[in-house]
């Protein structure tokens, strides 16, 4: 360019190409980056494969992988071919000459710009849409496997008379295909239209025709395919009405046809199907007519018909036919919904019995005797006493117990005993010195079971342990005590190599151990070590000298994680529980098969339905749901995870469940037959809590069987809030050995109470037989209380407890200083027509960091008692001294106990009883002053005095007299009972 002045110009700077060394370096870095990304992807794949192979479920990994790969390539290729072919065809059908216009001149620049790259651009576009479509299709692997392996339910829907399997297995796949077809048609139309526009086949502002004949024909066919797919959608929508959700005043999440669906929407869908077919044919006819006039008119009529026939007409039917006489119109469809919902949730066999709610028996002694025969009342709350287990049985800081313990049954003296059980698991936060070696090599496992009787506590309010200490010993015999897999074991460990593990500590120091099982993945191979170093983001795995021959890495160590990984088609119960079975600690996990496609069955949201006051404070109890909204559920699988070896076993529990049979076809040899469940394992299986919570929620409405009552809403119940805490969440169900009125003996049961909707009095008591292996297992019984009789519900009983003057005063004293009072589970037990409520009360007294059982609240028939032990409280409720609501008369202490009148006794016995009385009064005085140390000493003196009185009375009985004058003897058992010390002294 000419010099335009402005002074001398500077030196010219030549920008040369980078040197060969720089180019080589950049290329090397690029190659390394690609290799790094490739190895990262490989590491994830390889470690997954190694893990599945280590647990002997490699078929699950390969079946899932190949299904995903197959769907990815098939549907990705179909989408790429569909879009790519239409782009190629539009380019091929371009006009030879473009009209001379400003529009076309502007487009010429773009045509010239992309001309050298047309093939690459076509490949890029098709590859992109193919990748997106393939990735979307691969996520439908469950839908594909259920469709290709589906088995019939053997039940037909009441509207179309098709097998339920069509809705559960077939319809979801057809809908996916339809959605894929719509996506392919729309993308093809867009791609073809843009290509036609770019090359002049479509014009917006140019003079003359707006589209060439070739472009018209091409786009008309594509739009015709879209409209034809819409016709298919209308046809499938007819069947979709059977599984359609809608809000109905009788219930939320209503599913199935109602009157307006059967008499308006169903014929409308059929008419719209016919209109769409005709409209599609009109679009295809443009191949010969070369005009869009008729198809556009037809498409407009289809849209108008969809508005009038598919929207306005059903609204008119609902307004003028249904609403004036809703109950009569909807009743037949409600009957179908009632039957389908009860079948789908396994509540069709629920036995509802009228229950008076009040006792007619005058003989209080008989009622007191009936309590022990009716229920083994559990006063040890597994959701309260975990800190007590922790304090008394932790032994070392690097052990811990779960937040919520579990209830199981163990035989003692030939009789099953409700037992609270927990495992002493590893707690990395308690390790004296945290570093990589300690966290992953030395502190690798917990040790031992700790168990306590559920119906007892010792004199100081502590659990009555049946298995304790370290190593654990007690009633459970000999078993492998090391816990490598548990609910709190979330960190990976490397075991079996040159680095020894800490086993446990005793008076002789630390014991070491080296893992013997073949669980986990071997790290002897350098490729494996490199893969895990990348996958876990821990480079030390690659070069650490603590890893050598025999080293194995353990991960995915919680029971729920392991079961969900080997059976990704199952929904896992929120509460895995441990049991000692055949010399091993086994985690037992309940698992469910679900579907969202059971016709006419109302839906429920698992996350909401299974939430209660326990899940509100413990995330580990949350249900692991593959499908959050379901309308069919079965506890079809019982799974076990060995706490030492990590071995996972799946057992078929529901042998009739078609969903499980479908998955067993898809993943053969992964689920063992029910016959392989051993007798010792069967003794510890129980009815799962989450299923029971889903069923009780449904039974708040579906306990009625006639449509009129259901529609009126007069019999709707609700699950009450937990009155023992301030979470505002639903009361959890409780495991309890008890006898319902129609049962001859106690059975391990899962129980709950139900109240009227919006009120606090009791509507019903619900229990399910939870004892596996019995003929009544899974049988749900509901005791329905009369609506004209007010029976206190849980919150009213709790309020009554809190309002009793003597009880409130004692609670105030127990809360003195820095003590805290915690209410345990409020258990309800049907007894002779009435409801017996029992609630343990715990105190964290003084400097103690753990709760101890201090009192037991009991209520029956409006009478309450607040005593030191369950037996005393029952005696008070059913005894002659009357309810605690009476003002304390002479001889009654402020804590609710009763001081007996003096009697003439053996002098030695009398002296001991006097000492006991003094000790008792000293204890009450110390209690008022919050002097826990003095209170503890007084309790020790009281126990000593009562023991001396008992020994003296026994000696007097042997000699045949009282040893002194008087009118009879007094049993030491009638003296003041020892109260347990809040200080635990």
């Amino acid at each position: 360019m000419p010099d335009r002045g402005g002074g001398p110009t500077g030196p010219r700077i030549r920008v040369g190409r980078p040197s060969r060394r720089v180019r080589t370096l950049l290329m090397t870095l690029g190659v390394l980056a690609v290799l790094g990304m490739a190895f990262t992807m490989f590491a994830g794949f390889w470690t997954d494969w190694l893990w599945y192979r280590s647990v002997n479920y490699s078929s699950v990994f390969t079946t899932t992988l190949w299904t995903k790969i197959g769907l990815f390539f098939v549907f990705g290729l179909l989408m790429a071919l569909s879009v790519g072919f239409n782009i190629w065809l539009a380019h091929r059908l371009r006009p030879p000459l473009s009209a001379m216009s400003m529009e076309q001149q502007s487009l010429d620049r773009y045509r010239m710009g992309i001309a050298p790259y047309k093939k690459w651009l076509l490949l890029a576009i098709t590859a992109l849409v193919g990748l997106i479509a393939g990735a979307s299709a691969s996520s439908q692997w469950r839908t594909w496997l259920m469709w290709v392996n589906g088995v019939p339910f053997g039940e037909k829907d009441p509207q179309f008379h098709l097998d339920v399997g069509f809705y559960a297995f077939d319809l979801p796949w057809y809908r996916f295909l339809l959605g894929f077809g719509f996506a392919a048609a729309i993308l093809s139309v867009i791609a073809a239209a843009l290509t036609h526009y770019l090359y002049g086949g479509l014009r917006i502002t140019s003079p003359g025709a707006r589209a060439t004949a070739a472009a018209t024909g091409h786009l008309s066919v594509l739009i015709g395919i879209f409209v034809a797919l819409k016709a298919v959608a209308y046809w499938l929508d007819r069947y979709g009405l059977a599984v359609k959700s809608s809000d109905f005043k009788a219930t939320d999440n209503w599913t199935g046809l109602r009157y307006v669906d059967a008499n308006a929407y169903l014929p409308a869908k059929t008419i719209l199907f016919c209109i769409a077919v005709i409209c599609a044919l009109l679009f295809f006819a443009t191949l010969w007519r070369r005009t869009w006039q008729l198809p556009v008119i037809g498409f407009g009529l289809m849209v108008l018909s969809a508005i009038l026939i598919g929207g306005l007409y059903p609204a008119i039917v609902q307004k003028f036919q249904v609403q004036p006489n809703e109950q009569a119109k909807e009743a037949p469809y409600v009957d179908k919904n009632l039957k389908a919902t009860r079948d789908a949730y396994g509540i069709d066999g629920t036995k509802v019995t009228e229950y008076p709610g009040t006792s007619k028996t005058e003989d209080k002694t008989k009622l007191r005797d009936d309590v022990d025969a009716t229920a083994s009342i559990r006063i040890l709350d597994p959701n309260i006493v975990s800190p007590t287990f922790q304090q008394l049985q932790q032994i070392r800081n690097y052990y811990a117990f779960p937040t919520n313990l579990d209830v199981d049954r163990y035989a003692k003296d030939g009789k099953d005993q409700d037992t609270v059980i927990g495992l002493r698991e590893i707690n990395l936060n308690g390790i004296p010195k945290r570093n990589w070696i300690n966290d992953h090599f030395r502190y690798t496992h917990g040790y031992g079971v700790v168990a306590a009787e559920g119906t007892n506590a010792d004199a100081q309010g502590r659990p009555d342990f049946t298995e304790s200490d370290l190593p654990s010993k007690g009633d459970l015999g000999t078993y492998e005590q090391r816990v490598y897999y548990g609910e709190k074991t979330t960190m990976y460990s490397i075991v079996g190599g040159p680095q020894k593990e800490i086993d446990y500590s005793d008076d002789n120091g630390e014991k070491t151990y080296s893992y013997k099982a073949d669980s986990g993945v071997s790290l002897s191979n350098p490729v494996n070590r490199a893969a895990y170093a990348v996958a876990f983001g821990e480079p030390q795995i690659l070069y650490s000298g603590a890893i050598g021959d025999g080293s194995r890495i353990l991960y995915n160590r919680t029971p729920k994680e392991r079961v969900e990984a080997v059976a990704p088609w199952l929904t896992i119960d929120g509460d895995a529980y441990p049991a000692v079975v055949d010399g091993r600690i086994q985690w037992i996990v309940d698992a469910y098969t679900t579907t969202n496609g059971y016709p006419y069955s109302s839906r429920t949201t698992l996350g909401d339905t299974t939430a209660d006051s326990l899940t509100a404070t413990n995330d580990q109890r949350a249900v692991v749901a593959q499908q959050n909204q379901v309308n069919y559920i079965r506890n079809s699988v019982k799974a076990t995870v060995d706490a030492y070896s990590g071995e996972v076993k799946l057992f078929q529990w529901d042998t009739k469940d078609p969903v499980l049979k479908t998955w067993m076809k898809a993943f053969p040899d992964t689920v063992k037959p029910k016959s392989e469940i051993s007798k010792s394992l069967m003794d510890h299986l129980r009815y799962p809590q989450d299923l029971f919570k889903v069923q009780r929620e449904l039974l708040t409405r579906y306990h009625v069987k006639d449509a009129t009552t259901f529609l009126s809403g007069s019999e709707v119940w609700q699950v009450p809030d937990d009155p023992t805490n301030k979470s505002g969440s639903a009361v959890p169900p409780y495991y309890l050995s008890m006898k319902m009125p129609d049962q001859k003996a106690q059975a391990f049961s899962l129980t709950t109470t139900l109240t009227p909707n919006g009120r606090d009095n009791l509507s019903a008591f619900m229990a399910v037989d939870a004892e596996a292996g019995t003929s009544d297992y899974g049988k749900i019984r509901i005791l329905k209380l009369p609506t004209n009789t007010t029976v206190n519900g849980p919150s009213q009983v709790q309020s009554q407890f809190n309002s009793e003057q003597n009880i409130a005063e004692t609670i105030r004293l127990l809360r003195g200083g820095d003590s805290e009072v915690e209410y345990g589970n409020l258990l309800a037990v049907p007894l002779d027509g009435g409801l017996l409520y029992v609630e343990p009360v715990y105190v964290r007294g003084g400097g103690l960091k753990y709760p101890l059982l201090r009192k037991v609240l009991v209520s029956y028939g409006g009478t309450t008692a607040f005593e030191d032990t369950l037996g005393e409280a029952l005696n008070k409720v059913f005894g002659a001294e009357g309810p605690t609501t009476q003002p304390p008369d002479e001889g009654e202490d402020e804590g609710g106990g009763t001081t007996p009148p003096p009697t003439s006794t053996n002098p030695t016995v009398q002296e001991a009883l006097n000492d006991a009385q003094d000790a008792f009064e000293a204890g009450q005085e110390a209690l008022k002053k919050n002097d826990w140390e003095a209170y503890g000493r007084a309790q020790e003196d009281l126990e000593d005095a009562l023991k001396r009185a008992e020994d003296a009375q026994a000696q007097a009985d042997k000699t045949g007299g009282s040893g002194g004058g008087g009118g009879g003897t007094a049993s030491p058992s009638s003296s003041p009972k020892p109260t347990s010390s809040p200080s635990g002294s």
Side-chain angles (χ1 to χ4, degrees), residues 43 45-56 485 492-497 515 517-525 527-532 536 541 547-557 562 645:
F45 163 81
W46 185 243
T47 53
D48 284 347
W49 161 249
L50 292 174
W51 186 86
Y52 275 96
R53 191 175 64 176
S54 73
V55 294
N56 299 318
Y485 295 88
Y492 73 87
S493 290
I494 299 176
V495 297
Y515 189 60
D518 59 356
S519 179
V521 178
S522 172
L523 293 179
S524 301
N525 188 325
V527 175
N528 291 358
R529 293 177 65 170
Y532 278 102
F536 287 3
I541 294 177
I547 301 175
D549 290 339
S551 292
R552 309 183 72 84
I553 185 168
L554 312 181
Y555 61 104
N556 287 349
R557 298 170 70 183
R562 294 180 79 78
S645 68

Side-chain angles (χ1 to χ4, degrees), residues 630-771:
V630 304
N631 66 355
Y632 171 93
I633 186 170
R634 289 289 186 272
N635 176 213
S636 53
V637 171
K638 301 283 190 182
T640 62
V641 177
D642 192 296
Y644 179 75
S645 68
E647 181 184 14
V648 182
K649 292 182 179 179
L650 308 176
F651 296 98
Q652 182 182 15
W653 185 248
D654 190 332
T655 57
K656 298 180 180 179
D657 177 30
V659 181
L660 177 60
K661 292 179 180 179
T662 296
W663 287 117
M664 289 175 69
K665 281 182 63 179
F667 297 98
D669 302 323
T670 56
V671 180
K672 299 178 181 296
K674 187 176 183 178
S675 58
E676 292 192 22
I677 299 177
S678 65
K679 172 64 170 61
S680 53
L681 175 59
M682 185 73 75
D683 290 341
H684 295 282
L685 300 182
R686 68 188 191 188
Y687 201 82
Q689 292 186 65
D690 285 337
L691 177 59
F692 184 73
K693 286 188 278 190
V694 169
Q695 290 173 327
R696 76 172 176 179
E697 181 65 33
L698 267 295
L699 282 168
T700 58
R701 290 162 288 146
Y702 286 90
H703 62 277
V704 301
K705 295 184 179 180
D706 63 287
T708 302
T709 306
F710 186 84
L711 284 167
S712 70
S714 60
E715 291 290 334
V716 175
W717 300 336
Q718 67 180 12
V719 179
D721 290 341
D722 190 346
T724 65
N725 59 53
K726 298 179 180 179
S727 67
S729 302
V731 62
Y734 296 122
Y735 287 106
L736 181 69
S737 289
M738 55 161 291
K739 179 176 68 174
M740 292 288 276
D742 65 331
Q743 292 178 293
K744 295 181 179 179
Q746 293 184 22
F748 191 61
S749 305
L750 194 53
T751 66
T752 191
T753 50
L754 299 167
T755 59
N757 192 25
R759 291 188 292 159
D760 292 327
N761 58 291
L762 197 65
S763 279
F765 177 84
M766 175 179 169
V768 63
D769 194 319
E771 199 159 341

Side-chain angles (χ1 to χ4, degrees), residues 51 486-487 556-567 570-577 587-590 618-626 639 641 648 690:
W51 186 86
E487 289 181 302
N556 287 349
R557 298 170 70 183
T558 69
K560 288 199 290 185
E561 278 181 326
R562 294 180 79 78
V563 175
E564 187 187 24
V566 303
L570 290 174
T571 293
I572 311 302
D573 189 90
D575 185 27
Y577 59 99
W587 287 99
I588 300 175
V589 183
D590 286 288
N618 185 2
D619 293 338
Q620 286 184 338
R621 294 181 75 97
V623 63
V624 180
Q626 293 297 345
V641 177
V648 182
D690 285 337

Side-chain angles (χ1 to χ4, degrees), residues 911-925:
E911 181 182 1
L913 289 177
N914 292 338
D915 292 343
Q917 183 67 33
D918 293 340
F920 179 78
E921 292 173 355
Q924 294 301 308
E925 189 66 26

